[in-house]
């Protein structure tokens, strides 16, 4: 029997959120270990031994330690194939990977709070300007995703089943709306996908407010 999975997570991290969502969809039990980014617990020597990049999430599966949410999801898909995160159809599979890559490479890194704070520290930009830049980055990615997915039939991003594209999109959209006040009326396809995901028990259990370290 496989050892219990352990996830090092911060409730408000979209990267951690997508891993929680995926684990719930797969029906995999896991132990939650909170890493408070507000207190910079990710900078501790103990955590650095787990992940030299000092970011969450981190997954432990017995003696195997893995960081980076994309890598974690691909590992879960290979190691625990039940409730697949990727469709069998080759074209739809790589469409899912394309969507995931747009979120992880073109949207999410450029509005991380530590990145915005670093820009402010080095260049002295006002907070309002930083938030405007973050909104621009998110909306630029959403424009591309809307065009990519608008003609695909089904409830979710790539059909009638929840797959990896949805796992990356739903937390990203939630944060775009709540943290950065992005107007989703401009993105009807993404809004529909988000609403469908929000109705899923697996998503509801993964939201920041439901985590042991929820920010009050």
């Amino acid at each position: 029997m496989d050892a219990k999975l352990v996830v090092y997570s911060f409730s408000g991290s979209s990267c951690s959120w997508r891993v929680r969502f995926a684990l719930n969809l797969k029906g995999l039990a896991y132990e939650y270990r909170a890493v408070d980014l507000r207190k910079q617990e990710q900078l501790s020597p103990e955590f650095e031994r787990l992940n030299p990049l000092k970011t969450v999430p981190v997954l432990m599966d017995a003696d195997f330690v893995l960081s980076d949410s994309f890598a974690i999801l691909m590992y879960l898909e290979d190691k625990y194939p039940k409730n697949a995160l990727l469709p069998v159809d080759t074209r739809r599979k790589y469409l899912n990977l394309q969507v995931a890559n747009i979120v992880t490479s073109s949207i999410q890194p450029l509005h991380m709070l530590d990145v915005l704070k670093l820009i402010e520290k080095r260049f002295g930009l006002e907070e309002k300007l930083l938030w405007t830049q973050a909104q621009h980055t998110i909306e630029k990615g959403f424009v591309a995703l809307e065009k990519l997915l608008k003609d695909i039939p089904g409830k979710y991003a790539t059909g009638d089943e929840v797959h990896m594209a949805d796992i990356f999109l739903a937390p990203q959209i939630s944060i775009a709306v709540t943290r950065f006040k992005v107007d989703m009326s401009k993105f009807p396809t993404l809004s529909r996908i988000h609403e469908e995901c929000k109705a899923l028990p697996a998503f509801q259990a993964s939201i920041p407010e439901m985590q042991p370290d929820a920010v009050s």
Side-chain angles (χ1 to χ4, degrees), residues 88-105:
V88 175
D89 178 79
T90 301
R91 292 186 178 184
R92 288 201 301 129
K93 175 181 178 180
Y94 283 94
L95 177 59
N96 273 269
L97 295 176
Q98 181 182 5
V99 170
N101 192 61
I102 290 172
V103 172
T104 58
S105 299

Side-chain angles (χ1 to χ4, degrees), residues 73-84:
L73 264 63
M74 295 302 294
Y75 172 78
L76 293 174
E77 184 71 345
D78 287 343
K79 179 75 181 291
Y80 305 97
K82 185 179 178 181
N83 300 327

Side-chain angles (χ1 to χ4, degrees), residues 59-172:
L59 176 77
M60 289 183 62
D61 190 357
D63 61 349
F64 181 62
V65 180
L66 185 64
S67 61
D68 183 87
S69 62
F70 209 152
I72 290 171
L73 264 63
M74 295 302 294
Y75 172 78
L76 293 174
E77 184 71 345
D78 287 343
K79 179 75 181 291
Y80 305 97
K82 185 179 178 181
N83 300 327
L85 304 180
L86 290 169
V88 175
D89 178 79
T90 301
R91 292 186 178 184
R92 288 201 301 129
K93 175 181 178 180
Y94 283 94
L95 177 59
N96 273 269
L97 295 176
Q98 181 182 5
V99 170
N101 192 61
I102 290 172
V103 172
T104 58
S105 299
S106 300
I107 301 177
Q108 187 261 333
L110 299 178
H111 69 72
M112 291 174 64
L113 292 180
D114 58 345
V115 174
L116 294 175
K117 288 178 181 178
L118 178 62
I119 293 172
E120 182 181 20
K121 181 178 179 181
R122 294 212 174 161
F123 300 102
L125 297 177
E126 295 180 3
E127 184 177 0
K128 184 177 180 181
L129 181 58
L130 290 173
W131 244 242
T132 300
Q133 179 58 43
Q135 286 177 329
H136 172 74
T137 298
I138 295 167
E139 290 187 1
K140 180 180 177 182
F142 282 3
V143 167
L145 289 164
E146 181 75 19
K147 291 178 179 177
L148 187 64
L149 301 174
K150 66 183 179 66
D151 295 324
I152 297 176
K155 289 178 63 176
Y156 302 105
T158 60
D160 285 323
E161 295 181 355
V162 182
H163 283 128
M164 194 172 290
D166 306 287
I167 294 169
F168 279 80
L169 283 171
Q172 179 62 63

